[in-house]
Amino acid sequence: MMFKYLQAQRMSRYSSVFNCETCGKSYKNKVSLNRHRRIECGKEPNLQCSYCPYRTKHNCNLKTHIALKHSSTKVIFPDYLCQFCRKYISELTLLGHCQQCVFPNRPDRSYKFVCFSCDYHTNHSLTMQYHIRKHTGERPYKCELCSYRCKQASDLRKHARIRHNYDYFSEYLCQYCRTYITELDLLNHSKLCNFTYRPDNSFKFVCFSCDYHTCHGSTMQFHIRKHTGNKPYKCDHCTYRSKQACDLRKHVRIRHPTSTLVMVVQCNFTFENIRLMDYKECIFRRMM
């Protein structure tokens, strides 16, 4: 009885030494209290699961969640060694670790994000995300006109302007991540945006502007044209243009019944108006 009493007294003494003034939680040591104030107390969870709306404040909880709830995805995230704490960090949580690691020295606000692998530091999460891609080799932006891939959207715009002589880029606001996306990036963004909820394969492509979703890239491309107004299919007999080939066939059959159908489409690779058969042959050659 005396032992249990002394143990209870000891536990109560330790639990009441370090208390959070904001929420009232108690901790056994000052390190845990400081971690609570810095990461948990009064703050929203900043780590987002890539497969569902689950959010958490701790990397370990996120890893456990993915392992238990999304084990069927079989996605392996490579680990990277932090030069400060000497721990292996998953690629999924590198940005959060650069902000939350307690070992690097942070003398001012410009050290809010400190790189896990070099001396780079910044105050902006987006800039740090671009920098992390230099270490991981991730290139999420893909050119729709060739096989070029890059780390930043600005590099993709520069590539398209120089290599494909395409200077006009309309930008559209994504309703999920609140960033402006160029017209050439819309299809990629509908697949790669991390702020959208994707419960199953039918949400592989999620529209940037409405609730439409599909698992087919070609279907999403047709849908995107409703928002952009792009009409690549042009009638060879008049000024009519359409978003889909079937609409152009219907137009020619009704408006030009005595004419032969020579379907013309703007090629995404040369930006010239060519016959649809030649366009399909061009796509077939690129897929070989």
Side-chain angles (χ1 to χ4, degrees), residues 63-266:
K63 291 182 179 179
T64 303
H65 166 79
I66 293 178
L68 295 178
K69 300 296 183 180
H70 308 290
S71 58
S72 59
T73 57
K74 296 182 180 179
V75 177
I76 301 177
F77 299 99
D79 292 337
Y80 297 87
L81 180 65
C82 177
Q83 63 178 342
F84 301 104
C85 62
R86 311 305 298 174
K87 293 181 179 179
Y88 283 93
I89 312 301
S90 171
E91 183 179 355
L92 186 68
T93 58
L94 281 176
L95 182 61
H97 184 78
C98 292
Q99 180 183 10
Q100 299 169 7
C101 186
V102 298
F103 288 91
N105 185 26
R106 305 176 190 266
D108 53 47
R109 192 176 181 182
S110 65
Y111 286 80
K112 182 178 180 180
F113 294 88
V114 180
C115 181
F116 68 96
S117 184
C118 65
D119 298 331
Y120 179 80
H121 57 89
T122 180
N123 186 36
H124 304 285
S125 60
L126 185 61
T127 310
M128 177 55 72
Q129 185 66 65
Y130 291 153
H131 174 79
I132 287 175
R133 290 171 183 162
K134 295 181 179 180
H135 299 292
T136 62
E138 181 188 7
R139 298 173 183 266
Y141 297 96
K142 182 183 182 302
C143 179
E144 291 291 333
L145 314 178
C146 66
S147 59
Y148 175 79
R149 304 185 72 97
C150 57
K151 302 179 181 69
Q152 300 187 32
S154 59
D155 295 337
L156 181 60
R157 289 193 289 267
K158 186 186 299 183
H159 162 81
R161 185 173 64 251
I162 295 175
R163 296 298 181 183
H164 305 292
N165 194 25
Y166 194 70
D167 295 326
Y168 177 73
F169 289 90
S170 300
E171 292 189 340
Y172 300 86
L173 180 65
C174 176
Q175 63 177 342
Y176 301 102
C177 62
R178 310 304 297 173
T179 57
Y180 284 92
I181 315 300
T182 62
E183 185 173 348
L184 284 180
D185 298 336
L186 286 176
L187 183 61
N188 275 333
H189 188 77
S190 66
K191 181 180 180 181
L192 299 175
C193 184
N194 293 325
F195 290 83
T196 57
Y197 177 50
R198 307 176 190 269
D200 52 48
N201 190 46
S202 66
F203 286 79
K204 183 177 181 179
F205 295 88
V206 179
C207 181
F208 69 97
S209 184
C210 66
D211 297 332
Y212 179 80
H213 56 89
T214 180
C215 61
H216 302 289
S218 57
T219 310
M220 177 56 70
Q221 186 66 66
F222 291 149
H223 174 79
I224 287 176
R225 290 170 186 163
K226 296 181 180 179
H227 299 291
T228 62
N230 185 22
K231 298 181 178 182
Y233 298 96
K234 181 183 180 301
C235 179
D236 195 43
H237 308 289
C238 65
T239 58
Y240 176 81
R241 304 185 72 96
S242 64
K243 301 181 180 69
Q244 299 189 34
C246 59
D247 296 333
L248 180 57
R249 294 192 190 96
K250 186 185 300 183
H251 163 80
V252 173
R253 187 172 64 251
I254 296 175
R255 298 296 181 181
H256 312 286
T258 59
S259 302
T260 57
L261 177 60
V262 180
M263 193 169 296
V264 177
V265 60
Q266 185 182 29

Side-chain angles (χ1 to χ4, degrees), residues 281-288:
E281 183 179 356
C282 178
I283 295 177
F284 178 75
R285 288 200 304 268
R286 285 173 53 84
M287 295 175 62
M288 293 295 293

